[in-house]
Amino acid sequence: MTNHAVRNDAARSDAARNAALPLDTTDTAIATAATASGTAAAATSVSRSTPRRSNPRRSILRPTIWLPVVVALLVAGVLWELIAINNTYLLPRLGMIGQAIITQPSFYLENAWITLSEALIGLVIGFVAAFIVAVIVTESGILRRAIMPLAVVLNVTPVVAIAPALVVAFGFGPAPKLIVTALITFFPILMNVITGLNSVSPPILQVFATLRASRLEVLTRLRLPSSLPYVFAALKVVFPLSIVGAVVAEFSAPGAAKGLGTVISVASSNSRLAVVYAAILCLAIMGAVLLFLVTLLEKRVLRWHESQLLKRG
Amino acid sequence: MSTTRANASPDQIVVSDALKIYGGSGSSAQVTALSHVDLTVDRGQFVSIIGPSGCGKSTLLRLIAGLETADSGDVSVFGADPDQACAAKMIGFVPQVPALLPWLSVVGNVTLPSKVNRRADALRRTLPGHVHRDPADPRALLAKIGLGDALDRLPHQLSGGMQQRVAIARAFAIQADVLLMDEPFSALDEFTREAIQLQLLELWEQMRTTVVFVTHSVSEAVVLSDRVVVMSARPGRIEAVVDIDLPRPRRQGLLESAAMHEYEDLIRGKLQTAWASGPVAR
């Protein structure tokens, strides 16, 4: 159990590093972080107000809730402009990014939709596969010893390195993108679900052992519901990660397909920085919205769980 | 797996000459948890097992519950072995912590045992020690134990005492032949504990289910039980068996009576001899 947990932590920090990498290299980290913290702050304000029976809208309107986010965004924007004004080849002016989007909004929408659908379909494939493997591995010791080493090898292999090979094998269609996204999301889900399935407390298992509940009953009635908090923890990591997977796969097949990754690689080879950053902004917004939706869903599904009680209390 | 044993009675729980050793054979870390323990519990009795920590009282309970098997000796639960007894849902187990499922309501937690292992009822009818009982109504049961207005709440909305009452109702709900309780009140404060003891008594007096109750509280053992089994440690063995001849139903007034204090002193004395003889007997 402890072994699982440790490896699980490793997997998560690994995933976090992967997720941070492409953003760091593009200098939008600050802007993205600001957007993300904005949604997070809004989310907590809603949850905090519910037990007091006060109108959640009213608390969002309180300056102490929205002002920090707005100020942070303004500061980030001003810093950006200060750098961009004198270094147009380092950063495009914010106005130029806005203009790039406004002049052809359908271009960005279309490409964002393609990247998003690649990411989500790949994520579903990775999720289903990881969940099935997690159940198999927790139910059978022999299969665990057979499968886990393979899964670990898969995890330490940089998926970015596999992407070009997949493009050679499967062409410029959606297949390599889905495979890369599925691969990149597989391991964090696997480790979290394994930990979750094993998180039923021993006294509960003893009560149901004296009732001779079947393994299937223990799985469906005890283990699966117990794993939900861990599933959501995994989803919060892999939703943004799935977009990373889709973009990386698009980088490997440049020019031949659509998608924001393709937009970025084509535009950067033409030194059109405003377009590059407009696409990056789209990716950041997509990631933040996905994260927000997962958090909302978690709040609905995990009403019973400690993590949600803490936030509410 | 034979149901006909020399010492298997359909109306008794019988533990005979049970031996349980933890730790690998031959290693110095071996602990004899139970050494040649004999115990008989009649149907309908409330029996408490008391003793210092490490005396094997929980191990004894777990042997009867089929959660562990004896290294030698025999355990039979109303004529069946513990494995069959569990398969037929004859055993209701109440652990030290409430062990409720946090995503299920109070009613959901109490009804869940009847939803798993549905073949148990058919199996139960074939066993020699079978006594027919109508299935309990979980809502009525919860109302009796004072949780009538908490039916749809989630466990985290309940106090510790209420949670443990739900766990007790859950054990009663399957109409088990025996309830095995492993220090169920040890985590509760004294006021809650005394209130919940009386509630358990009230429920038990209506249901008359056989109960084996592990505790380390002398007064708790005396208040609840028909018979108190005193155990001593290293090796775990039965030191004395004291029959508690106090009238039932036992109510608040009894708790202060002289007769009760006499029994408490008697058991404390036995526990002290058990404590003193423990390390020597090793």
Side-chain angles (χ1 to χ4, degrees), chain A residues 272-284:
Chain A
R272 296 171 63 198
L273 265 192
V275 177
V276 171
Y277 279 98
I280 290 169
L281 181 65
C282 293
L283 289 173

Side-chain angles (χ1 to χ4, degrees), chain B residues 59-196:
Chain B
T59 305
L60 182 54
L61 197 76
R62 294 160 61 82
L63 284 189
I64 302 172
L67 292 170
E68 290 185 48
T69 48
D71 291 321
S72 76
D74 244 344
V75 180
S76 86
V77 180
F78 302 121
D81 62 38
D83 206 46
Q84 280 179 315
C86 285
K89 286 207 247 185
M90 291 164 69
I91 291 173
F93 186 67
V94 182
Q96 211 162 349
V97 293
L100 303 175
L101 303 181
W103 56 87
L104 288 182
S105 68
V106 167
V107 172
N109 267 288
V110 172
T111 50
L112 184 54
S114 61
K115 291 177 185 156
V116 300
N117 185 9
R118 284 176 177 278
R119 277 173 304 179
D121 289 338
L123 178 62
R124 204 154 150 182
R125 280 192 283 277
T126 67
L127 293 175
H130 170 68
V131 174
H132 178 76
R133 284 202 193 89
D134 291 324
D137 174 14
R139 286 168 189 275
L141 206 56
L142 284 163
K144 270 184 209 165
I145 207 162
L147 291 169
D149 52 356
L151 296 177
D152 297 316
R153 287 206 230 159
L154 290 173
H156 71 77
Q157 295 168 315
L158 306 177
S159 68
M162 291 166 92
Q163 289 185 15
Q164 198 54 276
R165 278 187 274 165
V166 177
I168 288 170
R170 174 175 64 186
F172 271 107
I174 56 165
Q175 290 284 29
D177 290 87
V178 58
L179 301 185
L180 304 175
M181 306 195 178
D182 190 2
E183 302 188 24
F185 307 148
S186 59
L188 304 177
D189 65 83
E190 188 141 355
F191 295 115
T192 313
R193 179 195 275 243
E194 280 175 7
I196 202 172

Side-chain angles (χ1 to χ4, degrees), chain A residues 81 187 204 229 260 308:
Chain A
E81 281 293 275
F187 201 76
I204 293 179
L260 288 174
Q308 304 304 311

